[in-house]
Amino acid sequence: MSKQVETIGVLTSGGDAPGMNAAMRAVVREALFKGKKVKGISRGYAGLLNEDIFDMTASDVSETIARGGTKLQTARCTEFVDPDVQKMAAEICKKHGIDALVVIGGDGSFRGALALAQHGINTIGVPGTIDLDIACTDYTIGFDTAINTAMEAIDKIRDTSKSHDRCTIIEVMGRHAGYIALWCGIACGAEDILLPEKYNHNEQDIINHVIENRKKGKQHHIIINAEGIGHSASMAKRIEAATGMETRASILGYMQRGGIPTCKDRVYASVMGAMAVDLLCEGKSNRVVAYKNGEFCDFDIEEALAMKKEIPDYMNYISKSLV
Ligand code: ADP
Ligand code: F6P
């Protein structure tokens, strides 16, 4: 059991996600409510190393819950994998009186959090990524907003695809994970959904599907392609050449990372941010806040990082059976 914390630092790290501000706000407000001091750290671990650290008050987080992006800003800080750099970062925390830290980010950020915990900084991770690719949790901050943003865009592209009797490949984010593709694909009734975890790289299967559907009378065809598979433009050319169906590609890109967070992202992020502070106040460290099987909970960071996540079989099945 660690000693009582007095000053809680908060940072956002890795790719930004809508709802990170709601989580930051909850950390600040819950910590102040519990009589703790709060220090914000700009630009993730890069800002920590640059000592870009400042006191935070309740009013500093006013009007943030509904804002996309991250007011604390974020960064990828490659040197943070270096054990000497991690030790130095822990010393910087101590120098600034930060005895506890909330890290809002993904798996990579949690590895940094684990290192800081090992150097005596009580650290809690809060899952923030649009990719939903954190194994210990069924929810990550930003996913709900991102899939709704992508879904609306896909619905619009579907209108023009249908009007022109086209095949359209829509590439959504997810360099290593297909959750955005799977959810948007099901939500939009896509004819094919290509997931990095499942794709067999046999384009002929897609071509056959387009041809079969045409024979059945389907006049247009939507393919949701995850960023991790990529090559949407060249894939479109090959599909057009093989099927004779006019084919276009649209890459949705970074719009999926921005925008006003949904109600779910605001509320879940608020719960998770507050829980992180409550865990610290209970003397806990080296934990990740999660949402699993319908409940908010927490896991040891190392155990959380060792967990594996798989595309749910039944969702994968219906993504094919319902179209
Ligand atoms: P995410 O947190 O969304 O997974 P990244 O993988 O880019 O995003 O990680 C964010 C940051 O976390 C990195 O820029 C780096 O500062 C830190 N980080 C990533 N991997 C490690 C690691 N193995 N050890 C320590 N810090 C890490
Ligand atoms: O935030 C997650 C994500 O969108 C991934 O899908 C993608 O791999 C990555 O971020 C790309 O982010 P960046 O270009 O900022 O490194």
Side-chain angles (χ1 to χ4, degrees):
M1 194 56 74
S2 320
K3 71 172 174 54
Q4 268 293 318
V5 301
E6 283 171 17
T7 303
I8 299 175
V10 57
L11 60 81
T12 53
S13 169
D16 65 339
M20 278 185 165
N21 281 327
M24 168 205 66
R25 171 182 174 274
V27 170
V28 174
R29 295 265 166 97
E30 181 68 4
L32 295 173
F33 185 75
K34 291 261 167 98
K36 310 295 175 190
K37 286 188 198 136
V38 191
K39 292 202 185 228
I41 300 161
S42 296
R43 298 184 180 81
Y45 296 123
L48 178 57
L49 295 174
N50 288 333
E51 302 191 44
D52 199 348
I53 299 168
F54 51 94
D55 292 328
M56 290 189 85
T57 64
S59 61
D60 288 332
V61 293
S62 298
E63 310 291 340
T64 56
I65 196 165
R67 280 176 51 191
T70 164
K71 193 180 175 188
L72 286 175
Q73 301 200 262
T74 185
R76 315 247 188 216
C77 173
T78 44
E79 70 255 48
F80 212 73
V81 296
D82 180 341
D84 291 338
V85 171
Q86 295 163 358
K87 189 163 172 268
M88 194 166 77
E91 278 157 16
I92 291 170
C93 286
K94 287 172 195 161
K95 178 177 151 193
H96 286 264
I98 295 172
D99 46 13
L101 183 66
V102 178
V103 172
I104 305 166
D107 274 347
S109 304
F110 295 163
R111 289 185 202 284
L114 169 67
L116 290 171
Q118 287 166 344
H119 285 291
I121 308 299
N122 292 358
T123 307
I124 306 288
V126 171
T129 167
I130 64 163
D131 287 342
L132 196 68
D133 61 345
I134 300 177
C136 70
T137 184
D138 300 334
Y139 165 83
T140 61
I141 295 168
F143 177 70
D144 190 59
T145 307
I147 52 174
N148 278 290
T149 301
M151 181 185 75
E152 281 177 27
I154 295 163
D155 283 345
K156 288 174 183 161
I157 295 170
R158 174 180 277 277
D159 287 345
T160 168
S161 185
K162 191 170 166 57
S163 303
H164 285 264
D165 291 340
R166 277 178 180 158
C167 172
T168 306
I169 303 173
I170 304 164
E171 188 173 309
V172 298
M173 267 188 160
R175 201 168 285 168
H176 305 290
Y179 297 97
I180 297 176
L182 180 66
W183 279 66
C184 289
I186 293 173
C188 297
E191 278 69 26
D192 283 292
I193 306 172
L194 313 183
L195 311 176
E197 298 90 336
K198 300 275 178 192
Y199 186 48
N200 63 6
H201 292 273
N202 184 0
E203 228 164 73
Q204 193 59 44
D205 288 349
I206 307 169
I207 291 164
N208 293 345
H209 197 201
V210 172
I211 295 168
E212 272 167 36
N213 273 351
R214 248 226 164 141
K215 282 190 194 143
K216 282 189 213 156
K218 277 201 180 185
Q219 295 301 321
H220 76 116
H221 194 106
I222 297 285
I223 301 167
I224 304 297
N225 186 25
E227 177 194 355
I229 295 166
H231 303 291
S232 297
S234 55
M235 200 185 277
K237 283 199 183 115
R238 289 190 295 271
I239 290 173
E240 179 166 311
T243 63
M245 189 172 193
E246 204 174 27
T247 304
R248 295 283 189 270
S250 282
I251 298 173
L252 299 188
Y254 289 95
M255 67 177 296
Q256 296 160 94
R257 281 238 295 253
I260 296 169
T262 59
C263 183
K264 179 171 180 173
D265 275 332
R266 295 182 204 190
V267 174
Y268 280 36
S270 298
V271 172
M272 288 179 152
M275 264 184 76
V277 169
D278 293 345
L279 288 168
L280 290 169
C281 292
E282 287 165 23
K284 293 190 178 144
S285 176
N286 201 33
R287 311 287 298 171
V288 182
V289 178
Y291 181 80
K292 197 83 188 154
N293 302 324
E295 282 183 24
F296 291 98
C297 54
D298 57 283
F299 292 97
D300 173 85
I301 296 187
E302 258 176 300
E303 282 172 24
L305 288 171
M307 291 178 189
K308 296 273 172 278
K309 191 169 198 172
E310 306 231 329
I311 293 288
D313 283 338
Y314 198 69
M315 282 181 79
N316 191 41
Y317 159 74
I318 65 153
S319 74
K320 299 180 180 71
S321 70
L322 302 186
V323 289

